[in-house]
Structure formats: structure tokens, C-alpha cells
Amino acid sequence: MKKSLFAVSLLLALTACKNNTNVESEDTVVETENGAININTDSINEDEEALHVDATANDGLYASFGDEIDASQALSNKEMFEKYKSLKPGDTVNVKFRAHINDVCQKKGCWMSLGLEGENESFVKFKDYAFFVPLNAAGQDAVVSGKAFVSEISVEQLKHYAKDGGKSEAEIAEITEPEVKYGFMADGVLITK
């Protein structure tokens, strides 16, 4: 219930900032399962520090999504890539790492891809589909906490996908090695503000 109240207050604050306006309200009434609750939103405007979303020891540098996590002791993207390379398909490891957000699902914010070393990426989904990240988060930095894993797509499956995708016989014949994917199931995410 506290999370619901917080979410309503946050939504009001975000709307005010986005519209560059002040929200002047005596009380906002929120209907809940147990009746109505009055929330005094006071005057929230974009100049106030009302948008400190996370309550962790991150000094207001991050917006927090999912479980509350702390940015300290997160591996770098290069360290995480080394960890991924040590995993075999089917292995999982609990870990926290920091990386640049390359892409975000543009429908709901239900996944994101984080840059690892070189051109490699980690495809991040969110535990139990319980939370999403902002659609405009690409280009920012993130800290994710959860389970890292590696999956491998066989040559046969890759050829099947290529055929279904309308690739030519020559393009399909060029597929000779399995593809390794680096996945991550996040229970908590921090994104730089």
C-alpha cells in the first residue's frame, strides 16, 4: 500500500516536471481496497528535490526500479564480460554490474540491452515481469542486480531462424557456428538520472 501511495505521488511529481508546471493541491484522494486515502501533495515543482526516487545510499544519483539495490561493489562491464566467458550454457551466477544502456524495449520498457566489452551485449529482462524501465533510458548508465546466464543457439536452430526470416540459401549456408547469448534476469535496477 505504501508503494501505491508513493507511486501516485511520484506520478504527480513527474507530470509536473514534464509539463514544467507547479502542482498545487490540498489533498489528492486515492481509492484503495480499504477505502479512500487523502494524500497532501503540497507544492511540488521542478526546482524542488522531490524526485529522489531511490532511497538507497546512492546519493540521489540513480532512479531505482524493482528491488532496492545499492550501486556499491558492482562489477564493471569488462569484468562482467570476463565472468560471462567463464560460464557454460545452463550456468547462472548472482551478480551486480554496471554498464551503458544500448537499447530499451520501446513498447513497455520490459527489457534492455547493456554494453559489455567490445560489441558484446547482455540482454536484460526483469524478474517476474514485475517492473519496467523508462523507454528513454538508452544512452544512460545502469547498475543491475540479479542472475547472469549464458545460452547457446545451435547452428541448426540459427539456420531455421534464417530460413523463416527469408534469408537466401547462400546466407543460410554461411551459418557454421552456434551463437552465444549473454542473458540477465534483474531483480533490481538503478539508472542514472
Side-chain angles (χ1 to χ4, degrees):
M1 180 134 130
K2 288 181 182 179
K3 287 183 180 179
S4 297
L5 295 176
F6 178 74
V8 170
S9 298
L10 179 62
L11 185 58
L12 288 170
L14 289 173
T15 302
C17 287
K18 189 168 193 158
N19 295 330
N20 196 21
T21 61
N22 289 339
V23 175
E24 299 284 345
S25 173
E26 294 173 7
D27 283 324
T28 300
V29 178
V30 177
E31 294 292 330
T32 68
E33 296 171 1
N34 300 328
I37 297 174
N38 291 330
I39 301 172
N40 184 342
T41 58
D42 294 327
S43 291
I44 300 174
N45 67 44
E46 68 181 337
D47 297 328
E48 294 180 32
E49 294 190 13
L51 295 178
H52 287 287
V53 178
D54 66 309
T56 63
N58 296 313
D59 298 326
L61 299 174
Y62 299 96
S64 179
F65 304 89
D67 290 351
E68 192 173 296
I69 65 170
D70 191 283
S72 65
Q73 299 180 351
L75 299 177
S76 71
N77 62 336
K78 290 178 183 180
E79 292 169 320
M80 188 62 216
F81 183 59
E82 290 303 314
K83 190 166 284 292
Y84 270 124
K85 290 193 311 187
S86 71
L87 298 175
K88 294 181 230 109
D91 290 350
T92 61
V93 61
N94 287 321
V95 69
K96 178 172 42 173
F97 77 100
R98 176 185 325 271
H100 186 73
I101 303 171
N102 291 340
D103 200 8
V104 174
C105 168
Q106 290 301 294
K107 275 192 165 184
K108 293 183 182 180
C110 59
W111 59 261
M112 62 183 175
S113 63
L114 299 180
L116 298 171
E117 188 172 37
E119 298 292 314
N120 296 290
E121 292 184 321
S122 177
F123 187 74
V124 180
K125 289 186 173 184
F126 310 114
K127 186 178 178 187
D128 298 329
Y129 210 60
F131 62 96
F132 305 107
V133 296
L135 304 183
N136 64 349
Q140 294 172 269
D141 291 325
V143 175
V144 293
S145 178
K147 294 185 183 295
F149 58 93
V150 173
S151 57
E152 185 175 84
I153 304 171
S154 69
V155 171
E156 181 180 318
Q157 193 67 42
L158 289 170
K159 287 185 176 195
H160 177 78
Y161 291 154
K163 183 176 181 180
D164 287 352
K167 301 288 184 183
S168 69
E169 289 298 320
E171 290 172 307
I172 294 171
E174 290 177 5
I175 301 171
T176 59
E177 293 188 26
E179 190 173 310
V180 174
K181 296 284 188 182
Y182 303 114
F184 198 89
M185 184 60 66
D187 48 40
V189 176
L190 299 174
I191 297 177
T192 54
K193 290 183 181 181

